Amino acid sequence: CSLSTFATASDSLFNELNSALAKKSEYEAIKLQRIDKLKQSLRKGEQSSVQQLYDGYSALYEEYKTFNYDSAFYYAKQLEKVAVQLNDKPKIEVVKLKTGFILLSSGMFKETYDVLQSIKPSTLNQKEQVEYYSLLARYYFDLADFHKDKYFTAEYNQKGNAFADSAMALSTPTSYDYLFLQGLKSLRNGDMKGATKSYEQIMSFKNLTPHQYAINASSLSFIYAYSGHEKESIDLLVKAAIADVKSATKETVAILNLADILYKKGDTKTAYNYIKQALEDATYYGA
């Protein structure tokens, strides 16, 4: 196995990833069971009030948002109807945030922009405002990546930085949101030392969701690779991929990046297997 170039810790991690991939459909089944339970309780009419309906749709949206774009979008639309029925202005704006999040996740930039432009941040509470400005920051950073053009990329990065600052100004400096944005900003502006500090702080948090763990591990892995810590970089990427598989997350980059590294190292067999998994995930998510 050409993976023997990695130290033994990596070997055992690769074994763990491969056995998780072998059980991929089991992890998906667990997720689908959870979703089915939520749908059943909606159908049974236990969610009698409109408010309960809103909560039920919210829970389904949360399950789907990193799992399947079409279903997440469908439940965002259901939430929109219910928010209008409730005549609850703040909720209507929050639903737009949810819609914006998945539009951006599936790479629909124009639609994301239209939704975000229509949000009135003054109707949002502090936590939601942080989410709003964070989403705008992510939107501009993603746009910068997409264009990779001297003139526009600089402008988009600048806007991304400004919205990240707005979100950070509303967050506690020790919070996940603050550190995540600080890390993202540092990364964008080539401050690898600052980025390392932010992401390492996040990775020491005890209560990260598997998705949060995977996102931050992937970012830190990129930084470690950049600064020549190859083994740490690959270990983190493998751990991120494991977290994604076990939580049945389809909106993911870890396994794709891993395939890329292995391919460049000449392990085409494993790279091919991982690329196939990444493609399956992307197709399933609808990105």
Side-chain angles (χ1 to χ4, degrees):
C1 165
S2 52
L3 290 181
S4 55
T5 42
F6 306 121
T8 41
S10 300
D11 275 348
S12 64
L13 279 172
F14 273 105
N15 290 339
E16 197 187 329
L17 173 58
N18 294 331
S19 69
L21 285 169
K23 287 197 224 152
K24 198 175 174 184
S25 54
E26 288 172 43
Y27 294 122
E28 278 169 28
I30 294 168
K31 173 120 182 145
L32 289 166
Q33 263 173 326
R34 257 203 326 267
I35 287 171
D36 206 44
K37 272 207 181 93
L38 288 168
K39 286 181 179 171
Q40 274 172 359
S41 65
L42 270 177
R43 274 199 296 271
K44 277 183 195 141
E46 288 165 17
Q47 317 277 357
S48 44
S49 73
V50 187
Q51 178 57 50
Q52 281 170 315
L53 206 54
Y54 182 89
D55 295 340
Y57 288 146
S58 278
L60 281 162
Y61 164 85
E62 287 300 325
E63 285 290 355
Y64 275 122
K65 74 176 189 185
T66 58
F67 188 57
N68 181 268
Y69 165 78
D70 284 332
S71 300
F73 188 76
Y74 170 80
Y75 284 107
K77 284 291 164 208
Q78 295 305 105
L79 277 169
E80 201 179 301
K81 285 181 201 161
V82 177
V84 171
Q85 267 177 301
L86 284 165
N87 195 17
D88 187 327
K89 287 199 170 61
K91 270 197 179 68
I92 293 171
E93 302 299 303
V94 169
V95 172
K96 289 180 189 173
L97 262 183
K98 293 182 192 295
T99 307
F101 176 87
I102 45 165
L103 285 170
L104 187 56
S105 296
S106 72
M108 296 167 86
F109 289 117
K110 186 194 176 297
E111 293 78 359
T112 303
Y113 181 79
D114 291 344
V115 169
L116 292 179
Q117 283 307 301
S118 73
I119 294 174
K120 302 179 191 70
S122 56
T123 53
L124 303 170
N125 66 31
Q126 192 171 348
K127 188 176 169 294
E128 291 153 2
Q129 281 185 20
V130 170
E131 205 182 315
Y132 169 70
Y133 290 120
S134 302
L135 198 54
L136 272 164
R138 216 187 104 196
Y139 167 77
Y140 280 110
F141 287 148
D142 284 2
L143 211 50
D145 282 343
F146 183 73
H147 274 276
K148 287 200 175 14
D149 154 284
K150 262 208 190 81
Y151 176 76
F152 289 108
T153 296
E155 190 190 330
Y156 291 145
N157 273 327
Q158 231 174 339
K159 284 187 170 166
N161 283 332
F163 283 119
D165 286 338
S166 303
M168 285 162 75
L170 293 163
S171 313
T172 324
T174 50
S175 68
Y176 174 87
D177 289 322
Y178 186 94
L179 291 167
F180 181 78
L181 287 159
Q182 191 181 46
L184 191 60
K185 254 189 80 180
S186 303
L187 196 53
R188 287 276 153 186
N189 302 310
D191 172 14
M192 293 299 171
K193 216 170 147 188
T196 306
K197 205 174 147 218
S198 305
Y199 286 117
E200 281 179 347
Q201 260 178 288
I202 289 177
M203 294 304 285
S204 71
F205 282 14
K206 294 281 174 276
N207 56 345
L208 294 177
T209 68
H211 190 52
Q212 285 175 333
Y213 178 90
I215 289 172
N216 290 286
S218 296
S219 301
L220 193 53
S221 160
F222 173 81
I223 297 162
Y224 283 164
Y226 181 87
S227 42
H229 298 92
E230 191 186 47
K231 185 187 171 308
E232 291 90 333
S233 167
I234 290 169
D235 283 359
L236 268 176
L237 211 45
V238 178
K239 285 178 182 172
I242 293 167
D244 281 332
V245 176
K246 288 186 172 177
S247 59
T249 297
K250 302 290 179 188
E251 196 238 340
T252 161
V253 293
I255 202 151
L256 181 66
N257 293 346
L258 202 51
D260 190 45
I261 290 168
L262 293 176
Y263 179 75
K264 284 174 183 153
K265 289 193 157 301
D267 184 359
T268 44
K269 198 172 159 223
T270 314
Y272 173 74
N273 178 24
Y274 291 175
I275 276 282
K276 232 171 64 181
Q277 303 284 350
L279 189 62
E280 273 172 29
D281 288 342
T283 308
Y284 192 102
Y285 183 74

